[in-house]
Amino acid sequence: MISATSFCGVEFGNPLILASGVWGSAASSLARAVENGAGGVTVKSLSLAPRAGHPNPTMVGTKTYFLNAVGLSNPGIEAGKEELRRYKELAAAPLIGSIFAGTADEFAQLAAAVSVSPIDLIELDLSCPNVGREFGEPFAYSAAAIGAITRQVKSATRVPVSVKLSPNAWNIAGLAAAAEAAGADAITAVNTVSGMAINVRARSPVLHNKQGGVSGPALFPLALKCVYDIYERVRIPIIGTGGVTTGEDALAMIMAGATLVGIGSAVYYRGAEVFKKIRAEMEGIMAEEGIKTLDEIRGAAHRACP
Ligand SMILES: Cc1cc2nc3c(=O)[nH]c(=O)nc-3n(C[C@H](O)[C@H](O)[C@H](O)COP(=O)(O)O)c2cc1C
């Protein structure tokens, strides 16, 4: 019942894809997501130079949310490209190359560099909330920055480009429209939302970085509303990401307007087989509700009134 999904001209075996960062950038872990049912994968954001990321502790998980400040640790574009090449030897599912930089020029350089890899889509991580001390506020808060970076990247590559936005921005739909006007082919919504955890016994923040990005179930209703609002404003397709943990969540994302659905923290909550589990749950609900295809329900929440 869930069939292949076409996105920016790329054929995904199913709409459930691994979100950036959760399983790093190693070819073998990305391929593991595909073995477990992912229709495509996103590599952890790659920067020009290798990055060590923040000191530990960088992550804390609870029943309702996951909080991380990994700090964009990655092996850098040259080593990363080798992993992307190896991934294509291990798996056939489409590969999304996520990139991160501090300036529009660097984003364009990275886009050109990653485009010689066998990637199907480029994702611009403009929205990491955890590296503010180094890079200032995320580009994803500013229509002007989103527009400038998107335009420069589009002139540096022929690979379709998705712009990843932040739920911290107050006007995410307007910012998605700025990306679309600058030539973006798609929107990824959303990255983590800023948050923190405090260890009461130690009287101190849990993460070394003090603040981090909230993902997992607590992010879901925020992400859903972001996708819903963006779908009303733009015509380009959306990767709906944020807190999707069950088949019901994934169907809600599609009804809000998503074409692909990103799965990140749910791998911590439900194990590596989460992609297969979510797909089976989606198909169960679709059978009960007489839904034959996902196209039939995409954006359905915009047409209905409770
Ligand atoms: C440990 C961890 C690392 C992440 N690293 C990245 C990253 O490198 N680039 C990026 O764009 N998003 C990164 N994200 C954000 C996810 O791709 C996703 O947008 C977010 O976690 C919300 O989805 P989820 O609730 O399904 O995890 C990371 C998330 C987590 C939990």
Side-chain angles (χ1 to χ4, degrees):
M1 260 203 286
I2 291 180
S3 52
T5 304
S6 178
F7 189 86
C8 296
V10 181
E11 199 79 340
F12 289 75
N14 72 71
L16 304 176
I17 63 165
L18 178 71
S20 177
V22 181
W23 266 349
S25 50
S28 53
S29 25
L30 299 175
R32 195 166 147 234
V34 179
E35 284 157 27
N36 282 288
V41 297
T42 316
V43 69
K44 180 157 181 66
S45 301
L46 296 168
S47 46
L48 281 173
R51 287 177 55 83
H54 295 313
N56 283 324
T58 57
M59 290 189 215
V60 54
T62 74
K63 266 194 203 154
T64 49
Y65 68 84
F66 198 84
L67 180 72
N68 94 85
V70 172
L72 293 168
S73 57
N74 78 92
I77 187 68
E78 281 315 311
K81 271 164 57 183
E82 181 54 22
E83 293 300 324
L84 302 180
R85 189 193 61 71
R86 281 202 330 111
Y87 166 82
K88 282 290 182 177
E89 291 171 6
L90 300 174
L95 174 58
I96 302 175
S98 172
I99 55 175
F100 168 82
T103 66
D105 277 349
E106 282 177 16
F107 263 109
Q109 269 182 63
L110 275 165
V114 85
S115 297
V116 301
S117 297
I119 53 163
D120 300 284
L121 199 76
I122 292 177
E123 188 170 270
L124 304 183
D125 177 5
L126 304 186
S127 43
C128 177
N130 307 323
V131 287
R133 262 179 286 172
E134 253 175 291
F135 295 99
E137 78 174 25
F139 296 121
Y141 298 176
S142 149
I146 291 170
I149 295 168
T150 305
R151 261 189 298 279
Q152 212 162 321
V153 165
K154 281 295 290 175
S155 64
T157 181
R158 300 179 69 165
V159 177
V161 173
S162 185
V163 174
K164 187 166 183 181
L165 296 178
S166 168
N168 287 317
W170 67 271
N171 174 24
I172 197 166
L175 296 165
E180 181 179 49
D185 301 281
I187 298 293
T188 305
V190 287
N191 211 313
T192 53
V193 69
S194 278
M196 76 181 299
I198 291 175
N199 178 332
V200 169
R201 313 263 171 212
R203 304 178 187 195
S204 89
V206 173
L207 300 182
H208 183 276
N209 189 54
K210 299 189 175 73
Q211 66 161 53
V214 177
S215 58
L219 180 59
F220 178 68
L222 282 76
L224 192 64
K225 164 86 162 52
C226 289
V227 170
Y228 184 93
D229 289 350
I230 292 168
Y231 186 80
E232 301 243 306
R233 275 298 282 277
V234 303
R235 303 191 71 94
I236 50 179
I238 305 166
I239 305 178
T241 306
V244 173
T245 313
T246 64
E248 189 155 344
D249 296 343
L251 288 172
M253 268 295 184
I254 291 167
M255 290 182 184
T259 298
L260 296 177
V261 177
I263 310 283
S265 306
V267 301
Y268 300 109
Y269 290 97
R270 304 194 66 194
E273 331 74 71
V274 63
F275 301 96
K276 281 185 188 147
K277 289 180 183 165
I278 290 181
R279 181 183 176 145
E281 290 163 1
M282 289 169 80
E283 290 186 330
I285 296 171
M286 289 168 75
E288 278 166 28
E289 297 297 323
I291 301 166
K292 293 198 172 52
T293 68
L294 294 176
D295 287 343
E296 194 183 313
I297 55 158
R298 183 160 303 106
H302 297 261
R303 303 186 284 273
C305 238

